[in-house]
Amino acid sequence: LVWLVLLFVGGSITSGVLEAFSAELGAVVALSFYIPLLIGTGGNTGSQTVSMIIRGMTVNDIRQADIFRVARRELISGLILGGLLGLIAFGRVLLQEGGGDSLPLVVAASVIAVCAWSNVIAAVIPMMARRFRIDPALISAPLISTTVDATGLLIYMLIAKSLLEVI
């Protein structure tokens, strides 16, 4: 319960990100249509990775000393997975919104960045939890979900701000 309450409070960071970028969301309302897609993709990617990392730690395939090797491998996997999902997202946004602005590129680039970021975070958090003598299975999935929601949204908004000329 303590962890969930702390994560619930931490989840308010997501609202803060939305509030900080309210002008951008107001200028390009269509940005808001793809927030669930990005947050869901980041959460799903992270959940899958964290499950594999915790399993690897449990059967001693992954040791604490492997943290940088594992993070690098997950970054590469996230970029590849994000690239494939980004292509699909690009096509979906293009069909739904048309090609009048850079929105398809914003969503695709965000999917790539969020998948890569989510994979790295999901690889590092359980290993850091174990280092601090916290059961990785207890904290990893909720912490990853909360972290990826807030940071994934921040990544999306920063990419949108840099690529969309309207903002």
Side-chain angles (χ1 to χ4, degrees):
L1 180 62
V2 172
W3 284 111
L4 290 175
V5 169
L6 289 172
L7 293 169
F8 181 80
V9 171
S12 66
I13 295 169
T14 303
S15 298
V17 171
L18 285 171
E19 187 176 340
F21 288 93
S22 61
E24 288 80 0
L25 286 167
V28 184
V29 176
L31 283 170
S32 63
F33 303 158
Y34 301 101
I35 290 172
L37 172 83
L38 290 164
I39 288 177
T41 300
N44 292 338
T45 302
S47 295
Q48 199 170 31
T49 300
V50 77
S51 297
M52 298 307 296
I53 297 298
I54 291 175
R55 182 188 177 285
M57 291 167 56
T58 302
V59 298
N60 291 322
D61 283 345
I62 298 174
R63 300 178 321 271
Q64 200 66 35
D66 298 329
I67 191 165
F68 293 111
R69 180 184 61 82
V70 170
R72 184 179 65 245
R73 184 187 70 207
E74 291 305 325
L75 173 62
I76 293 166
S77 295
L79 288 169
I80 293 168
L81 179 62
L84 295 171
L85 292 173
L87 283 172
I88 295 168
F90 184 88
R92 177 174 182 246
V93 176
L94 193 62
L95 287 173
Q96 188 168 335
E97 304 294 330
D101 59 22
S102 301
L103 187 59
L105 182 60
V106 167
V107 174
S110 298
V111 167
I112 294 167
V114 167
C115 283
W117 172 245
S118 180
N119 266 21
V120 171
I121 291 296
V124 171
I125 285 177
M127 296 180 81
M128 294 305 294
R130 180 174 274 177
R131 178 179 217 87
F132 289 105
R133 302 194 192 296
I134 300 169
D135 181 2
L138 176 67
I139 189 63
S140 294
L143 184 57
I144 288 161
S145 177
T146 301
T147 303
V148 168
D149 284 358
T151 57
L153 191 55
L154 179 62
I155 289 167
Y156 180 45
M157 291 293 112
L158 290 172
I159 289 173
K161 192 168 183 154
S162 68
L163 293 181
L164 290 176
E165 295 138 16
V166 179
I167 297 176

